[in-house]
């Protein structure tokens, strides 16, 4: 119950920090940082109770807030912090595997992909994003489209070869097809725009 409540609070804080009312990124950074601290403060208690699932879920929330604060211009998160986040996520993935919670394992892999990008490691980011997409496919989750987009993003941060562009375009196309099938019009429009921009880069304008 405590873990669910904290995750709900973090979700609310993420929405609050993303609000246009906070034009100054220093204020938004503070919101994300405080939410991250809230999660991390609970982790020792969960470890004492040997609540592995609860610990893994709060690790996801804490890393989400870390990555959100990293997007802001004034934020300078050291590589040590990102490496700690990466190790925590790998442990969380192991927990979800043991518990056979495929949806959370997929989400953790997707978050690990973003963490790898924050460490300028697009090759591993792509590997984890693909793993996430495969896991979501196993349970027929609509979240698979997010993982497919993450694959394209990872490729965009890697080598700029025609082969890579072609591979990235395929991931975009799959995500577009997925959103169209789901009837998620806003997500479809955003993904279609990303695919169009990607196509222009390889002289295949739409």
């Amino acid at each position: 119950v405590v873990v669910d409540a904290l995750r709900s609070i973090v979700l609310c804080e993420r929405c609050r920090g993303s609000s246009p009312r906070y034009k100054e990124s220093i204020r938004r950074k503070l919101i994300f940082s405080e939410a991250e601290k809230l999660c991390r403060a609970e982790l020792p208690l969960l470890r004492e109770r040997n609540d592995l699932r609860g610990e893994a879920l709060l690790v996801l929330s804490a890393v989400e807030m870390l990555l959100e604060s990293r997007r802001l211009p004034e934020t300078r998160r050291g590589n040590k912090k990102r490496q700690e986040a990466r190790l925590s996520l790998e442990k969380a993935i192991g927990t979800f595997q043991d518990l056979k919670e495929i949806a959370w394992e997929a989400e953790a892999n997707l978050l690990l992909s973003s963490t790898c990008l924050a460490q300028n490691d697009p090759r591993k980011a792509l590997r984890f994003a693909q793993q996430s997409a495969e896991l979501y496919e196993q349970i027929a989750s609509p979240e698979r489209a997010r993982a497919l987009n993450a694959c394209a993003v990872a490729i965009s941060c890697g080598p700029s070869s025609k082969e890579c562009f072609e591979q990235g375009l395929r991931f975009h196309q799959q995500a577009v097809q997925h959103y169209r099938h789901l009837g998620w019009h806003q997500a479809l429009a955003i993904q279609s725009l990303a695919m169009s921009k990607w196509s222009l880069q390889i002289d295949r304008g739409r």
Side-chain angles (χ1 to χ4, degrees):
V1 176
V2 173
V3 171
D4 291 338
L6 282 174
R7 282 186 59 81
S8 295
I9 291 173
V10 168
L11 179 59
C12 290
E13 289 295 87
R14 182 177 187 178
C15 292
R16 187 165 74 97
S18 301
S19 172
R21 65 182 290 191
Y22 297 112
K23 295 181 180 180
E24 295 182 3
S25 57
I26 187 69
R27 174 59 180 154
R28 295 166 62 195
K29 174 191 172 184
L30 180 61
I31 292 173
F32 295 138
S33 296
E34 289 301 315
E36 180 190 350
K37 290 177 183 177
L38 188 64
C39 293
R40 295 196 181 280
E42 189 68 19
L43 290 175
L45 299 177
L46 293 171
R47 294 186 184 114
E48 286 181 12
R49 295 199 297 266
N50 199 33
D51 185 353
L52 299 179
R53 183 179 187 275
E55 179 186 350
L57 287 172
L58 276 194
V59 162
L60 297 192
S61 292
V63 175
E64 284 171 0
M65 292 302 96
L66 167 65
L67 295 178
E68 283 293 337
S69 64
R70 182 190 174 277
R71 300 176 197 274
L72 305 178
E74 287 84 359
T75 303
R76 294 293 182 270
R77 295 281 187 166
N79 192 60
K80 181 180 178 181
K81 185 92 173 181
R82 297 173 197 149
Q83 183 61 26
E84 289 174 355
R86 188 164 170 172
L87 294 174
S88 296
L89 285 172
E90 289 173 352
K91 180 181 177 182
I93 288 173
T95 296
F96 293 133
Q97 288 175 338
D98 292 340
L99 296 174
K100 301 187 185 308
E101 295 202 27
I102 297 177
W104 284 119
E105 182 187 349
E107 187 64 27
N109 270 280
L110 190 55
L111 201 51
L112 186 52
S113 174
S114 296
T115 305
C116 287
L117 282 183
Q119 290 185 301
N120 298 314
D121 192 349
R123 183 178 61 81
K124 288 189 177 179
L126 175 59
R127 179 163 66 86
F128 290 121
Q130 287 178 306
Q131 178 67 17
S132 177
E134 291 170 5
L135 289 167
Y136 277 134
E137 185 175 23
Q138 287 181 28
I139 56 176
S141 171
E143 298 298 328
R144 180 170 179 264
R146 283 198 305 128
L148 291 170
N149 179 68
C151 290
V153 171
I155 289 174
S156 71
C157 296
S160 301
S161 66
K162 183 177 180 180
E163 181 180 6
C164 289
F165 278 126
E166 292 282 355
Q167 185 183 18
L169 179 60
R170 287 194 294 271
F171 282 124
H172 276 302
Q173 290 171 333
Q174 290 178 56
V176 164
Q177 291 171 3
H178 207 60
Y179 283 133
R180 183 176 290 118
H181 175 73
L182 292 168
W184 292 4
H185 301 298
Q186 182 177 8
L188 174 60
I190 294 172
Q191 194 70 51
S192 296
L193 178 60
M195 184 177 71
S196 297
K197 290 179 178 179
W198 190 269
S199 298
L200 290 173
Q201 294 185 63
I202 55 175
D203 298 321
R204 290 178 58 177
R206 277 165 161 63

